[in-house]
Each structure stands twice: as structure tokens, then as C-alpha cells.
Amino acid sequence: MTNVSYHISNLLEKMTSTDKDFRFMATNDLMMELQKDSIKLDEDSEKKVVKMLLKLLEDKNGEVQNLAVKWLGGMLYTFHSSILNCLLPQLRSPRLAVRKRAIIALGYLVLTCNGNIFSELMEHLLAELKRNESTSTTRTYIQCIAGISRQAGHRTGEYLEKIIPLVVRYCNVEDDELREYCFQAFESFVRRCPKEIGPHIPSVMGLCLKYITYDPNYNYDNEEEEEEEEMMETENGEDEEQESDDEYSDDDDISWKVRRSAAKCLEAIVSTRHDLLQDFYKTLSPVLIGRFKEREENVKADIFCAYIALLKQTLPIQSWLHASDAGGKEEIPLTMLQNQVPNIIKALHKQLKEKSIKSRQGCFSLLTELANVLPGCLADHIPALMPGIIFSLADKSSSSNMRIDTLSFLHVLLCNHQPEVFHPHIKALLPPVVSCIGDPFYKITSEALLVTQQLVKVIRPLDKSCTFDVKPFVKDLFSGTLKRLKAADIDQEVKERAISCMGQIVCNLGDHLSGDLPPTLKIFLERLKNEITRLTTVKALTLIASSPLKIDLRPILGEGFPILASFLRKNQRALKLSTLTALDILIKNYSDSLKPAMVESVLTELPALISENDLHVSQVAIVFLTTLAKVYPSSLSKISGSVLSELFQLVHSPLLQGGALNAIIDFFQALVITKTANMGYAELMKQLTSPIHSSPGGASVTLHKQAYYSVAKCVAALSSACPKEATRVASQFIQDVKNPKSSAAVKMLAFLSLAEMGRTMNLSAQKELKTVILEAFASPSEEVKSAASYALGNISAGNLKEYLPFMLKEIGSQPKRQYLLLHSLKEVISSSPADGLKPYVEDIWALLFNHCECTEEGTRNVVAECLGKLALVNPSQLLPRLKKQLSSGSPHARSTVVTAIKFTISDQPQPIDVLLKGCIGDFLKTLQDPDLNVRRVALAMFNSAAHNKPSLIRDMLNTILPHLYNETKIRRELIREVEMGPFKHTVDDGLDVRKAAFECMYSLLESCLDRLDIYEYLNHVEDGLKDHYDIRMLTFIMLARLSTLCPNAVLQRLERLIEPLRATCSTKVKAGSVKQEFEKQDELKRSAMRAVAALLTIPEVEKSPVMAEFASQIRANPEMASLYESIQKDSASLPTTESMDMN
């Protein structure tokens, strides 16, 4: 024994060494020693060991710290069983405080204990509940089960089948406290075990609805409701009546606790079960509305919260309504809610004048949510709501928060309803709002200014004629706002809102301000010079300048214009953009008040703004130039060469596309019409094409391919603005192509330009065109071939009669050129209006079907795209033909047809949608096709539907998902070995199909989350985390998304999800691997760490021991820690893109 003590004390001494390796080894040795059964420590040694361990928990070295944590955890782990045995008897202690603490301790125990101990605990609790020895202990056991479920819901799930019947039974026992605990248990089951509680939701909801109205000691009869108003006037009427009713004291009544816990449980059900929305509006909504009369303030607040949760569940549907994907089903809850609005108002409007501030705030929160969910739904009820709003604004006893809530509701109300409904109430509403602008508390002032700004739009809307007389109100609105506008020593937010509000007043009521206008504009000028307020002022001036009242801005233009020009060189993007918008409006509406010098001051700043580094700023700057060319053409001669050279540089940039390209095209058209010296058609054409024409003769493409398309579009735009020049230029392009000395780049530009010109002009005068294009199909340059194909398609779209029959004939007779000709046909079908194509549909269809079994996949894809886009021309006839082709014996033909369907699905509403919804199920049966390639294209088609038009597949998911999940499995029979010289290389033919399946799963997360069994879904995500590199990358992204969308489900599966993440993050690449392998592994680790970072944002994740251990491992490992930090920095610096991604 002495020997052991000596050995232990020796190790303890080494554990205090300054050398971290000594400390680590000593700790490790001590762990090994103590695990031997032969060693028993005396009390003194035990104390020393524990003390040393606790000290090592704060060790500077991460590895030593980790070891101490692991050991301490292991020591406690061995005591779990005895801890449980100590705690269970305490649940029957005569002292309630002891029971409460025992429940808390058990809550912490179930987080870390093993499965056997957990099942022992649950079996014990179930046995005690069945025994039901006394109501007092039964209460404790139900509280304990609820506590365990809150802490470790994922473990409680498997016992719910046994627990629920018992809790339901105790709900019917005449004991209010017991009932309260039963509902608290239900609430925790609903939130923590959503899958397992599913079958029991109807019975739990039934109990909640029964007991939310449970108030045995109070009589809510009808006479009382009618007398309510009189009772409000006689201050203590209600109290007197209650007291005389009965000698029963309110202090003994705890039935309110039952009602409150039932309301909270309903809120949990509503928040977690979006799929039952229609049932909620049928059964739950009327009951909740009926309970808005609840007498107990705390209970009423929870009833309001439950109803607000119901409204929030209805809100996302609002955005689907505007999308093309508005299915009838989604509108049903909104219609049901619309029909219940009168009852809601009837139940609430009198409460808006109650003394209780908490009740009024609850009412306003609920009404705000209602107005957001159903804009316009309160239009008929404004007269009933106004007295309550005015009462809360004018009531001196109201708290600041009360007035802020009232103002924010009023703002939502004004924004979401037609102006006319408010006009009868303006006289009463305006004074209290204006007096709120003068309130000493800045938050009230700020909110009141926001409301005033909206009120100005309401009393005089500029977009429609209005008979309402605004004269009597202008003075109050103006003077109240002016006082805040002048003040310099006020809160930043108030300053900004005062500027915006005054901008709105000048914009909508400027013609009533007469003498007050110039001094007000001078204040704007002052605010423009202040760095803090300049951005808001620029926006306000934009508003004023765009007013149809033609406000006289001359007093400030002279001084203001150079200030605005100087903003264009500031390093603040939002300021640049707003300033350009303001200048654009000023040039449009005030060109006669501007001096050339003012415009010049702006022009000198423009070249720096036009660059590929920020295409949006470039676009807005070019739009401004276009306005200048149209409204103030004389200034264009001053456009310095640098503006034009920047423009041409942008045209030749590979990044130019979309809005910026369209802005340049508009500018060139406007510029060439002004006939400004040195900027005519010929000069602009020369500048556009010079980089391509001056490239060395034999050299291939010098610019990026995208630049050729941009230049061609500009050439076509210039030609359409100068039709006289167009024919000559078209002939020149044909000569360029014919000239054997022309480089591939010149030919490519010529074809692309002819394509863009041919789309809008008739080029039939050019007799050589067809021959030239067909000859180009034999060109050695792929770029030239592709450009010629594009040209034929676009020219044909501009002149179907002449070119389409020619093209179809060529496709039939030229097998070698088929691929290029089919590409041309695709352009024709994509660019032509349906009416123009109708006469040719049959011929095209027959031709395409001849090629749908082609062995070349590229050709089949083009054929499929043509078939799909052609089906949109006459869906009722052509869709059944595609469906018929599904029974074809050739897998190639089936894959072509399925791909064709993919091209009929777009994110916009189409006439084909109704027909497609009826038969897409038949096309999706190909998910079970024996051919691997057909299954892959079926998945791509399904993904397109899930992404662009979920309504097509939402109702079929029950039958489709098993086949989709089936495709995520690794198939051993598809993995083969290929010998490459001395090496063997494995090839997985099923990888592409699996990848496609996981991509579908990701799309479903965004569009059909409410139709997925998330636990089944997680099973397959789990498998994907251990799959091939590409699939792991995908599943990491899915996991990060799931952490945001359904954190509870992820939390329940955390233990199984962490292991693959840990494995990826701690993988080491073999030393001799190639560079790509290192890069691949780094990217994989980064992606895995992003998923970990997302998991760590889940509320309550810190309770998971697995996650806590992994987090400490990350902190202790320098490589992992630095990777995690860099990901944190990335997500902090890119909040906007993150949110875009989510959307």
C-alpha cells in the first residue's frame, strides 16, 4: 500500500512540472494506474488527486487540459449509477424544495448518462406514475418527466407511447396543479419529440382546447358582455360585482395556471406543425378568439402569443401567393383567416381602451401581425380601431412602450391599406401623432416621424386623384416636423427620420408651403454638407425632385449640384448610388435650371465610376449618361474621351452582362441619335470592333467569349438606331467572313453581330448569307462554328418564312452538320413567338423525333431542349405525345423525353403548368427505370421541378421520396476497377446518380420542407456524410441549412452527425500526395467546419456532451482552431450574401 501511495505522490509531483510533456505523461500514467482494480486510494490521496485534476482543468496547454476533462468525465461516468440511486428516493422527499432540486439534478444527469441508466430512470418513473401513490408525488413525477424531456428530448421520444396515456389520464383528475404540470409536459414533448408526439397531437390539442376555457369560478355570460362599457365607466364596477357574487376568494383560484399552460402548449403545437394549418383555422382559431375575453392578464398574454404564432405560421404562404407557384391549397388558410377577421376585431376593439397596458400591448401586437399577414383585411374595421389607437397615443398614463407599440401598429396599418379608408379619421388622428413628434423620449419621436411620413402619403396620394382637402392639416404636419428638422442636438435616428419625413411633406404637399419652402430647402442644403446626414438628405432630395408637383428647387441647385458631384468620389457605395439616382432625376426634371458648369462638375467624376469592379454602380452611372444624352445633348460634346474609353473597356470585359450591358446599349443608341461630333455611328463602330480587328491575323480569340456577345449586341443596337447604315454594315460582315485572311476572331464577331441584327431586322436582302453560314459549319475553329450556328438561329427567328424551311431541309439532309443545325433550331424555338411557330410545329416535331434516339448525348440534349420548348407552343397536343414516347423500348428515347420535360418547367407561370401537374407523375415513374442514365435525367427533371415550380410535385412526394432516397445508396455492383498501367483505379458509375439525388434533396429543403419526414431525411444525409468527396461537400451544405431550418431535429441526431464531421476535420493527407489532393482535402475541411459552425448556432447545442467535446477538441487543435476562426470571420463579413443564399 505504501508503495502505491509513494508512486501516486510521485506522479502528482510530476503533474506540477513546468514541462508540459511531463505533465501530460504523468496525468496519462495516473489514469492508467487508477483504472487497475488492485489499486484502492485512501481518503487523503483521493482528495489530492481530485484537487490536482481540477487544477489541470485550467492548464495552459490544450492537450493536458483535454486529458484532464476526459479523465474527470470518465470518473464521473463511473458514478452515474450511484448518483441515480441517490437521486430517485429524493423525488419522494416530504420537502418540495428537495424534490425540485432532485429534478434539476436528474435533468443534468440524463444529458450524459448511458442508455442503460436512462432506461432504468424512465422505467422507474413510469412505474411510479402507474402506482399513483398520492397526488403530490404524481405531480413530482410528471414534472420530472417534463424536465427530462426538456433536457434530453431526443432520448425521451421512444418512451412517449407509454407516457402519453398516463399524462392524459391525470389531466382529468380534479387537481389544478397536476393539470398544469401535465400541460407543461405536453408542451415539452411537442417541442422536443416532434416526430413521436405526431400521432397524439389530436388528443393533446383536444385537451388544450377543453382546458383553455376552464374557469369554474367565473361567469362570462352575455349580459356581462353588454354591460362591459358601463362597467368601464364606473371604475370599480367589475370588482364589486365579483365580490358580491360569492364569498370565494380569488387567491384560492389557481385555475388560471391550467389555462395558461394549455395556451402555451397550443402555441408549441401551432409553431411546430405547419402542415395542420387548415385544421387550426377550423378548430383552434375560433376557440382562441373566444378566449380573448380572458380576465387574467398573464393568461391573456399567452393566448395572444398562441394566436400570433398561428398568424406567423400563415405568413410564409404570403410570399408563395405572389410567386408563380400559388397552389390553391396555400390560399385556403388565408381565406379562412379573412372570414374570422370580424370576430377578432369584435373581441379586441373594446380592449384597446382598457386600463391594463399589458392587454393593450398584446392587442396591438396581434393586430400588427394580422395586418402583415393579410394586407387590407382591416379596411372595414378602421372606425372600430381608431378610438383605441387615439386613446393609447393621447393617454398620459401610458408607458413609453405602449405608445411605441401603438405607433408601430399604426405604421403597419397605414402601409397595408388604401388611403381612402383613413380620410374620415385624419382630423382626430393627426393631433395625437403630431404631439408624439414633440415627445421628449427619442424612440417615440422617431416612431412618430415614421408614421407622419406615411400619413402624408395617405392624406394626399400622388399616384391617384383624391378629393380629400389637405389644407387644414398642412400647418400642423409641417411645423411639428420642422421643429425636429432644425434641432441639431438630437438622436441620429430622429435626425434621419425628420429629414425623410420633411422630404415626403415637401414632395406631397409642397404646393401648400409657399413662403416656408425656400428656408426648408436651405436646411436640406445644410444637412447635405454634414457627413452624418448626407445620405438620408440625398434620398429626400431625390424624392422631392421626382414629385409631380414640380417643386421649385432653384434656391439650392447652384450650391447643391457641386456638393452632389463631390459625393461621387467618396468611398461610400450607398452614397454614390443614391447620388447618381438623385442627379438622374434632377437632369430629367430640372434641365432648364441647370448651368453647363454644374453638369461639367458631374461629368468629370464619371470615368472613375465606370469599371468592371462594380457593375451595379457602372450601370447606374451609364443610365445617368443616357438621361443626359436625351435631355441635355449639348453637354455630350464635353464627355471627355476618358468616359468613352472606360465604356469601351467595360464592353470588352468578360464580366459584362444583364443590366449593365442593357444600360450601355441604351446609351449608345441615345448617343448616336444626338449626332454629336466625333461620336457618330462610324466612330463608335470603329471603337467597338477595333480590339478584335487589330488582333494579329492568325491569332485566335484575344478577348473573352462573353465580350464578343457584348460587342455584337452593341453593334446591333447602333444599327437599329441608324437603319440607313445597317445594310452596308451587314454586307461588310459577310465580306469579313468570306475573306480567307480574316482571323477566327473577326469571323466570330461578324456572325454574332449578324445574329443580333437578324433578330430584329430583315436580312433577306443579303443573298449570300445562307451559303456563308453553311460554309462556316466546316470551319476548323469551334468558336466560329458555334457563332455561325447562333447566327442562323437568330436570323431565322427574325424571318421565319424564309429561313426556317431552309434550316429544316438542311437538318434532314446534312448528318455531319446536325449538331450545329439543331443548336440553330433551338435558338429559333427559344426566340420566336408561339404564333409565328405554329405553322411549322408538325414538321419540326417529326424531325426532332427522328433524332431522339441518337447515340451522341450532346445531340440528344439539344433535341430534348428543342422538344421541351416546342411543347410550350401547343401543350395540349404535344405533351400527350411526349408521354406516349415513355413506353419506348430505347433508353435513349426515354432519357430524351424526360429531359424535354425538364425544359418545359420554368419559374414563371405557363399555360402548360396545369397539364404538366396532371401527368408529371408518369414522367417521374422513370425514377424506377432499369437504365442508369434515364434515372439520372429523371432526377435532374425532378430537381428542376422542386427548384422552379414545387407545386408540380408537392402532392406526390409520398410516392416519389422512397425512390429518391433509394438513389442515394452506394451500389457495390456499379463500382469497377480499371487498370491504368501499373496502377488500379476504382470507378463508381453510380456517383453521378447519387449526386443528382442529393441535389434533389437539397432543393426539397428550400421548397417542400413541410412535406418531408425530417428524421427519415436525416438518415440519408448521415449516409452522405461518409460518401464520396462530391457528395460530402453537398451534405455539409445541407447540414448547415438544416441547422437553421429544423434545429430541433438536428439536435436529436447530433451524436450520429458529429462523428463524420470530426473524421473529416481531423484527416491528414499522405505526405507524398499531389497538390490537388491537398487542395481537395482543404476544401472538404473548410466545408465541414462551416457545417460545424452552423451546428454551434443551434440554441441549446451546448447541452450535448458530444458537441461540447468536439468544440473543445477544435479549440485545442491549432489547425482546426484557425480554420474555425477564419470561417467565423467570413460569415461575419458577408451577412448579406448569407441571407441571400438562405432565400
Side-chain angles (χ1 to χ4, degrees):
M1 190 70 200
T2 325
N3 194 16
V4 171
S5 299
Y6 173 72
H7 186 46
I8 298 282
S9 61
N10 199 3
L11 286 172
L12 286 172
E13 195 179 322
K14 283 185 183 170
M15 283 160 81
T16 59
S17 163
T18 49
D19 187 332
K20 64 176 191 303
D21 293 335
F22 269 46
R23 295 201 301 278
F24 183 87
M25 290 313 295
T27 311
N28 199 33
D29 291 349
L30 189 58
M31 271 175 75
M32 294 301 180
E33 288 295 324
L34 292 178
Q35 278 169 6
K36 294 176 185 169
D37 291 340
S38 57
I39 288 185
K40 295 278 182 284
L41 292 182
D42 55 42
E43 198 173 331
D44 191 39
S45 299
E46 262 182 13
K47 276 183 184 167
K48 281 181 184 169
V49 169
V50 172
K51 205 172 179 182
M52 182 52 73
L53 257 181
L54 293 172
K55 191 178 169 191
L56 288 180
L57 286 177
E58 293 169 12
D59 196 282
K60 286 182 182 137
N61 181 273
E63 288 178 345
V64 177
Q65 220 178 12
N66 268 355
L67 201 59
V69 170
K70 196 172 170 186
W71 188 19
L72 199 61
M75 276 173 66
L76 284 173
Y77 221 68
T78 54
F79 291 118
H80 278 172
S81 184
S82 43
I83 293 174
L84 182 67
N85 294 333
C86 290
L87 287 174
L88 288 178
Q90 303 304 326
L91 290 175
R92 310 175 63 152
S93 160
R95 289 179 58 203
L96 284 177
V98 172
R99 293 189 200 177
K100 218 169 204 167
R101 283 182 187 153
I103 290 172
I104 293 169
L106 283 168
Y108 284 110
L109 178 66
V110 293
L111 280 172
T112 50
C113 69
N114 63 30
N116 295 339
I117 289 172
F118 186 78
S119 68
E120 187 187 328
L121 167 64
M122 293 308 285
E123 294 301 339
H124 174 81
L125 292 174
L126 282 165
E128 289 296 335
L129 268 183
K130 281 178 187 157
R131 272 177 61 198
N132 187 18
E133 206 169 85
S134 73
T135 317
S136 168
T137 53
T138 303
R139 280 184 211 148
T140 304
Y141 288 125
I142 285 182
Q143 266 183 304
C144 185
I145 285 179
I148 289 169
S149 159
R150 268 191 290 275
Q151 290 285 18
H154 53 289
R155 302 180 92 174
T156 321
E158 55 196 271
Y159 295 92
L160 274 198
E161 283 304 317
K162 294 176 185 170
I163 298 172
I164 297 273
L166 291 169
V167 182
V168 168
R169 192 174 93 202
Y170 291 124
C171 268
N172 299 317
V173 173
E174 282 302 320
D175 179 332
D176 287 350
E177 224 171 319
L178 179 58
R179 281 185 188 136
E180 181 195 5
Y181 298 149
C182 287
F183 283 118
Q184 284 173 353
F186 284 142
E187 183 194 352
S188 113
F189 299 151
V190 168
R191 290 201 187 276
R192 307 292 291 164
C193 321
K195 185 182 181 189
E196 292 83 356
I197 191 83
H200 305 285
I201 288 281
S203 57
V204 172
M205 211 164 101
L207 284 167
C208 290
L209 293 174
K210 176 181 172 186
Y211 284 104
I212 201 169
T213 58
Y214 169 73
D215 199 355
N217 305 310
Y218 193 77
N219 184 17
Y220 295 92
D221 57 16
N222 293 336
E223 296 106 70
E224 211 171 283
E225 275 190 25
E226 285 161 19
E227 285 161 26
E228 217 165 70
E229 279 175 51
E230 292 150 43
M231 279 151 59
M232 268 184 191
E233 282 156 28
T234 63
E235 288 288 293
N236 302 322
E238 202 171 319
D239 299 338
E240 286 162 25
E241 190 175 313
Q242 264 177 276
E243 298 218 353
S244 61
D245 224 27
D246 216 324
E247 292 89 75
Y248 179 86
S249 157
D250 249 1
D251 297 342
D252 306 333
D253 177 20
I254 57 163
S255 65
W256 65 274
K257 289 186 173 179
V258 179
R259 298 197 297 281
R260 185 179 66 176
S261 54
K264 284 188 165 170
C265 185
L266 281 176
E267 186 188 347
I269 293 173
V270 168
S271 306
T272 51
R273 295 303 298 261
H274 182 80
D275 51 319
L276 299 175
L277 207 52
Q278 286 187 37
D279 296 350
F280 293 155
Y281 274 110
K282 216 174 285 171
T283 53
L284 188 145
S285 176
V287 176
L288 284 178
I289 294 170
R291 287 307 303 169
F292 288 169
K293 62 188 178 190
E294 169 66 56
R295 65 198 171 99
E296 194 66 49
E297 215 173 67
N298 291 332
V299 182
K300 188 189 282 188
D302 283 315
I303 289 171
F304 283 156
C305 283
Y307 205 84
I308 288 169
L310 179 60
L311 292 171
K312 281 186 171 152
Q313 283 290 337
T314 320
L315 188 60
I317 289 166
Q318 200 59 20
S319 62
W320 298 340
L321 272 179
H322 301 309
S324 59
D325 202 27
K329 276 200 173 169
E330 271 75 31
E331 290 185 42
I332 296 170
L334 283 173
T335 317
M336 294 167 92
L337 172 61
Q338 180 74 60
N339 297 336
Q340 293 177 21
V341 169
N343 298 342
I344 295 175
I345 302 301
K346 189 178 169 193
L348 291 183
H349 78 97
K350 287 178 184 169
Q351 297 190 31
L352 291 177
K353 287 183 119 176
E354 270 185 16
K355 281 203 294 289
S356 156
I357 285 180
K358 196 172 179 184
S359 286
R360 277 188 280 158
Q361 279 182 307
C363 291
F364 280 128
S365 300
L366 194 150
L367 289 167
T368 306
E369 201 60 50
L370 181 62
N372 277 325
V373 173
L374 266 182
C377 70
L378 299 174
D380 302 339
H381 309 287
I382 303 287
L385 295 172
M386 274 304 156
I389 293 172
I390 293 164
F391 172 76
S392 278
L393 288 179
D395 180 18
K396 288 288 170 276
S397 64
S398 283
S399 68
S400 304
N401 284 351
M402 181 69 251
R403 285 150 96 179
I404 291 168
D405 287 354
T406 311
L407 286 165
S408 77
F409 165 62
L410 182 54
H411 183 246
V412 170
L413 196 65
L414 292 167
C415 290
N416 284 341
H417 292 76
Q418 290 301 317
E420 300 78 49
V421 298
F422 298 103
H423 289 166
H425 309 282
I426 296 291
K427 194 175 179 187
L429 185 61
L430 205 60
V433 172
V434 172
S435 74
C436 281
I437 297 180
D439 195 277
F441 184 39
Y442 77 96
K443 282 194 173 172
I444 294 180
T445 307
S446 169
E447 206 63 46
L449 284 164
L450 210 55
V451 169
T452 308
Q453 187 175 349
Q454 198 57 39
L455 261 176
V456 172
K457 293 188 210 171
V458 164
I459 62 175
R460 190 181 191 184
L462 294 175
D463 50 354
K464 50 172 116 177
S465 58
C466 181
T467 52
F468 185 69
D469 179 24
V470 297
K471 244 188 198 136
F473 309 109
V474 175
K475 188 170 175 292
D476 286 351
L477 279 169
F478 178 76
S479 55
T481 310
L482 184 68
K483 198 170 156 197
R484 288 301 186 193
L485 182 69
K486 280 180 173 172
D489 55 344
I490 49 171
D491 184 79
Q492 170 70 12
E493 191 180 77
V494 177
K495 274 185 192 171
E496 290 181 358
R497 287 189 174 170
I499 293 168
S500 302
C501 184
M502 187 54 91
Q504 198 73 55
I505 291 172
V506 175
C507 171
N508 289 47
L509 310 169
D511 50 350
H512 291 285
L513 296 178
S514 58
D516 288 327
L517 184 61
T520 309
L521 292 175
K522 286 282 187 238
I523 299 175
F524 276 125
L525 197 57
E526 289 309 308
R527 298 286 172 269
L528 204 58
K529 293 172 187 171
N530 182 333
E531 190 178 333
I532 295 172
T533 52
R534 64 191 180 191
L535 179 58
T536 316
T537 313
V538 170
K539 288 178 178 170
L541 285 175
T542 311
L543 191 66
I544 295 169
S546 58
S547 167
L549 303 177
K550 298 276 175 276
I551 308 296
D552 183 6
L553 288 178
R554 279 175 303 189
I556 60 166
L557 277 182
E559 203 180 332
F561 225 77
I563 297 175
L564 287 174
S566 73
F567 289 167
L568 295 178
R569 69 179 96 103
K570 296 282 186 268
N571 194 15
Q572 187 184 351
R573 188 167 183 269
L575 182 65
K576 282 185 202 170
L577 287 167
S578 299
T579 305
L580 283 166
T581 313
L583 289 167
D584 191 52
I585 292 284
L586 286 169
I587 294 275
K588 271 184 191 152
N589 295 347
Y590 295 88
S591 56
D592 45 358
S593 314
L594 299 177
K595 308 262 184 323
M598 293 184 190
V599 180
E600 273 176 55
S601 66
V602 175
L603 283 177
T604 51
E605 304 297 341
L606 284 180
L609 299 181
I610 298 171
S611 104
E612 62 177 27
N613 295 336
D614 191 332
L615 283 179
H616 186 55
V617 171
S618 302
Q619 181 183 334
V620 181
I622 296 162
V623 167
F624 169 69
L625 279 171
T626 312
T627 307
L628 210 54
K630 289 175 181 168
V631 179
Y632 211 104
S634 58
S635 66
L636 285 182
S637 55
K638 300 282 192 307
I639 288 192
S640 54
S642 56
V643 170
L644 275 180
S645 67
E646 290 294 342
L647 264 178
F648 288 122
Q649 216 170 328
L650 190 55
V651 173
H652 299 136
S653 158
L655 303 177
L656 181 68
Q657 56 173 346
L661 177 56
N662 294 336
I664 289 183
I665 289 170
D666 291 345
F667 172 63
F668 281 147
Q669 285 186 319
L671 180 60
V672 82
I673 292 167
T674 60
K675 301 197 167 39
T676 308
N678 300 330
M679 295 179 208
Y681 181 84
E683 287 88 349
L684 292 173
M685 283 290 283
K686 188 177 174 206
Q687 293 270 15
L688 277 171
T689 57
S690 63
I692 296 158
H693 281 281
S694 62
S695 67
S700 184
V701 185
T702 51
L703 292 174
H704 188 276
K705 198 173 174 185
Q706 176 60 38
Y708 287 85
Y709 284 93
S710 305
V711 171
K713 282 192 162 75
C714 293
V715 166
L718 285 173
S719 304
S720 71
C722 306
K724 287 178 186 165
E725 306 276 356
T727 317
R728 184 184 62 72
V729 170
S731 306
Q732 180 57 49
F733 283 134
I734 291 172
Q735 292 314 312
D736 285 348
V737 173
K738 283 170 71 181
N739 182 354
K741 290 182 183 168
S742 295
S743 66
V746 169
K747 290 181 180 176
M748 186 176 161
L749 174 68
F751 279 129
L752 293 177
S753 304
L754 286 166
E756 297 299 339
M757 289 164 76
R759 192 183 296 200
T760 50
M761 294 176 225
N762 189 345
L763 294 181
S764 52
Q766 308 292 340
K767 300 296 177 208
E768 298 174 281
L769 198 49
K770 292 178 190 169
T771 332
V772 167
I773 290 175
L774 288 179
E775 280 171 5
F777 282 176
S779 162
S781 159
E782 285 300 322
E783 277 96 352
V784 173
K785 283 185 194 171
S786 155
S789 161
Y790 182 72
L792 180 59
N794 280 292
I795 293 163
S796 305
N799 189 352
L800 286 174
K801 208 179 246 173
E802 180 163 342
Y803 280 90
L804 192 55
F806 160 74
M807 189 195 295
L808 296 176
K809 183 169 139 268
E810 287 294 320
I811 294 175
S813 61
Q814 300 281 352
K816 281 187 179 170
R817 299 173 181 167
Q818 238 163 43
Y819 182 69
L820 293 165
L821 287 160
L822 284 167
H823 265 289
S824 304
L825 184 58
K826 181 189 80 180
E827 289 298 331
V828 175
I829 297 172
S830 305
S831 314
S832 305
D835 295 340
L837 275 177
K838 271 194 175 146
Y840 307 100
V841 166
E842 289 302 328
D843 297 342
I844 301 175
W845 192 265
L847 187 74
L848 289 170
F849 257 98
N850 291 342
H851 293 94
C852 75
E853 293 185 28
C854 177
T855 48
E856 178 59 50
E857 188 175 6
T859 307
R860 283 206 310 278
N861 284 342
V862 185
V863 169
E865 191 171 345
C866 292
L867 282 170
K869 288 184 172 166
L870 196 58
L872 297 173
V873 175
N874 186 355
S876 54
Q877 234 181 329
L878 301 179
L879 201 57
R881 292 192 199 174
L882 282 174
K883 187 173 148 188
K884 199 173 166 193
Q885 195 63 20
L886 278 177
S887 53
S888 157
S890 147
H892 286 337
R894 291 199 300 277
S895 76
T896 306
V897 168
V898 174
T899 309
I901 293 297
K902 182 177 87 174
F903 288 106
T904 62
I905 301 167
S906 74
D907 55 358
Q908 297 302 317
Q910 305 257 28
I912 198 172
D913 293 346
V914 183
L915 299 165
L916 205 51
K917 193 167 184 180
C919 66
I920 198 164
D922 297 312
F923 291 102
L924 285 170
K925 281 182 184 151
T926 50
L927 285 171
Q928 303 162 61
D929 198 280
D931 185 81
L932 192 66
N933 191 43
V934 175
R935 294 205 300 277
R936 182 178 59 77
V937 296
L939 286 165
M941 183 258 284
F942 177 71
N943 192 21
S944 173
H947 187 69
N948 296 315
K949 210 164 260 150
S951 61
L952 293 174
I953 52 152
R954 282 172 77 81
D955 299 334
M956 301 176 197
L957 284 180
N958 286 345
T959 50
I960 297 168
L961 283 175
H963 303 302
L964 172 65
Y965 291 149
N966 197 30
E967 293 305 326
T968 63
K969 295 188 173 69
I970 296 175
R971 304 259 168 91
R972 296 277 162 232
E973 68 273 16
L974 294 175
I975 298 174
R976 56 198 166 88
E977 269 195 353
V978 179
E979 289 191 4
M980 299 172 82
F983 304 107
K984 284 188 176 172
H985 180 61
T986 43
V987 175
D988 183 352
D989 291 328
L991 179 62
D992 284 346
V993 174
R994 287 207 306 287
K995 221 156 96 182
F998 277 104
E999 280 164 6
C1000 292
M1001 283 173 65
Y1002 184 70
S1003 297
L1004 288 173
L1005 267 190
E1006 300 301 321
S1007 53
C1008 305
L1009 182 63
D1010 55 331
R1011 300 294 173 98
L1012 299 176
D1013 172 351
I1014 208 67
Y1015 296 95
E1016 173 69 10
Y1017 185 97
L1018 275 166
N1019 289 342
H1020 299 285
V1021 172
E1022 228 173 281
D1023 294 341
L1025 290 170
K1026 304 168 194 138
D1027 204 323
H1028 181 271
Y1029 166 82
D1030 292 344
I1031 288 168
R1032 271 151 75 198
M1033 290 291 278
L1034 251 172
T1035 45
F1036 292 149
I1037 298 168
M1038 286 159 81
L1039 199 52
R1041 195 76 191 93
L1042 283 160
S1043 307
T1044 320
L1045 293 172
C1046 31
N1048 282 344
V1050 174
L1051 213 51
Q1052 290 193 24
R1053 289 293 176 83
L1054 215 46
E1055 286 173 21
R1056 282 145 63 175
L1057 295 168
I1058 288 294
E1059 220 29 70
L1061 287 170
R1062 192 204 306 266
T1064 303
C1065 289
S1066 46
T1067 310
K1068 294 265 187 289
V1069 186
K1070 286 179 192 164
S1073 301
V1074 289
K1075 185 183 170 207
Q1076 286 89 330
E1077 191 57 41
F1078 280 101
E1079 286 170 358
K1080 209 168 165 182
Q1081 207 56 47
D1082 280 349
E1083 197 43 56
L1084 203 55
K1085 282 183 184 175
R1086 255 195 114 63
S1087 194
M1089 197 57 89
R1090 274 195 206 101
V1092 174
L1095 290 173
L1096 285 167
T1097 59
I1098 297 178
E1100 298 190 355
V1101 75
E1102 66 282 351
K1103 287 183 181 174
S1104 157
V1106 191
M1107 195 71 207
E1109 189 192 332
F1110 187 29
S1112 67
Q1113 187 184 339
I1114 290 171
R1115 281 195 296 272
N1117 180 321
E1119 190 192 337
M1120 282 200 220
S1122 71
L1123 182 59
Y1124 180 70
E1125 274 166 35
S1126 79
I1127 277 158
Q1128 292 291 79
K1129 275 183 200 151
D1130 287 354
S1131 58
S1133 63
L1134 294 173
T1136 44
T1137 41
E1138 277 293 313
S1139 61
M1140 270 164 56
D1141 238 17
M1142 305 286 175
N1143 289 341

